[in-house]
Amino acid sequence: WFLGDGDDYVSRKVKLLRECGSILATSGNLDSKKSYVHAFIVPGRLEVAGKHTDYCGGRSLLCATTRGLCMLVSERKDKKIRVFSTKYTDYVEYDMERTDMQTKDSKSSGASWANYPKTAIQRLSSNFPNSIGFDVVLASDLPKAAGMSSSSAVVCAIFLAFDSVNHLKRSEIFQANLPQNEDLYEYLGCIENGSNKGKLVGNKGVGTFGGSEDHTGIMASEHGKLKVFSYCPTKLETIITFPKDLVFVIGVSGVEANKTGDAMQKYNRVSILAKEVAERIGGAGGGSLALELQKHLPNEMKSFLQKVAQNQDYNPSVQAIAKMAKSLIVSGANAAGVSISDEHLEELLLRLRQFLIENYVVVPGLAKAIECRNLNKISKLTALSQELAESHLENQVEQTSFLAKSAKNFGAIAASGFGAGFGGSVWALVSEDISRNFMRDWKESYVSSFRGDADSCEFFPFRPQHGARELHI
């Protein structure tokens, strides 16, 4: 029950790998007597806390889910890369010699699924020249656009495919630019956002202004553990053992949290505001928001924020943080001679307050509360994070707000939306002994309130799982 979705975790993965094998066998490249096939599981990630903090240089609390990608990789004898999906008839083909990218056999409009593998292939083949080709088949049991980083999982998968046949980690280029695991996680984020990493030059990316939280959670997670990472640069801060008598239940709203079109603009708006806050505090051309706060926060304020994480009464603390946020932005703007309208000042204040509380109060406080099994504090901190997502980030939709609130009615210790927002999913933390009944009642309540999402919503339990890994089969 708790390894995966009911008792069928293994059977789900076997089924996906068989589907991959069927496509690979008919791809025209596989020689059953000579070809070595690499098999991988690449999970989705759960962001327990740390909403929109990573690209600010903040921290987040992460683990991997039981849902994710399965992948088979077969080496080719030429310089072509082909990426197939078990869900679509079209496939990506890239000729590294001619730098020619195509989506073939496309019967759909746009073939948007191919955007992430195309971006990853172009970046990796440019940064690691002289690579040989391969065929990849991807299968997924991650709900689509549910906030569990299915797109970032594809980027991680393409890197693993490259590495499996080209041994990238042994190369001088890799070792010079990505000497530590955390450097790799950050580089995978750079593939998406288009940034440089060391001498590994970037390109346009996929159009989002995100960080490396997703890739870190996917690659670095461990079974039965939660991890706190900080970012810009990526650094492991804390490892926590997840309580054995608790379980996460994911409620997928059915409202897709896409990072395309209007949704991408909303996502990037939150990121752009954070960048502007950093500039108001530290001046143009400065560092991340967390770095500028580290430079400009008075020592008594840093001490105050550390104490807040241990405080059970948050209302006075939130008010004090609100005053601190206004002082930082206004004084920085005045020093730079920048005029800010009252309306825009309020936007910046909301963004800064959310970051201060989420990064310095919620993430470290929740990590410690889970480690100590302080259920009351887990509940309060999670509720505070969800409240800030709704009122400050404004990245929740009616469905995710309902799921977070209604979970408490059926016995959840805590519940919160996660990921980029604007749709997606909610996690609930519950005791093992009530988890089956809780999931049933939570789903029934949701479906009765949002009948239009009944066919697309999904609910499943899990405990923290391994990160991406190769299977020896």
Side-chain angles (χ1 to χ4, degrees), residues 125-141:
S125 60
S126 172
N127 290 161
F128 298 94
N130 304 317
S131 295
I132 59 174
F134 52 87
D135 282 353
V136 173
V137 186
L138 298 170
S140 174
D141 59 5

Side-chain angles (χ1 to χ4, degrees), residues 116-127:
Y116 279 78
K118 284 180 176 180
T119 299
I121 289 168
Q122 288 177 318
R123 176 69 181 266
L124 286 160
S125 60
S126 172
N127 290 161

Side-chain angles (χ1 to χ4, degrees), residues 19-20 23-24 70-73 84-86 135-139:
E19 291 174 359
C20 290
I23 293 178
L24 194 61
C70 287
M71 175 176 70
L72 294 182
V73 185
F84 301 87
S85 167
T86 59
D135 282 353
V136 173
V137 186
L138 298 170

Side-chain angles (χ1 to χ4, degrees), residues 186-202:
E186 195 166 322
Y187 171 65
L188 295 173
C190 290
I191 290 177
E192 282 195 39
N193 63 39
S195 300
N196 298 339
K197 174 61 178 173
K199 294 183 179 180
L200 302 177
V201 178

Side-chain angles (χ1 to χ4, degrees), residues 128 159-160 162-164 166-176 178 181 184-185 219:
F128 298 94
F159 166 78
L160 291 168
F162 257 91
D163 183 52
S164 67
N166 288 289
H167 308 294
L168 298 185
K169 292 182 180 179
R170 301 179 191 173
S171 69
E172 292 183 5
I173 296 174
F174 187 99
Q175 293 177 9
L178 309 172
N181 287 335
L184 170 59
Y185 312 150
M219 299 292 286

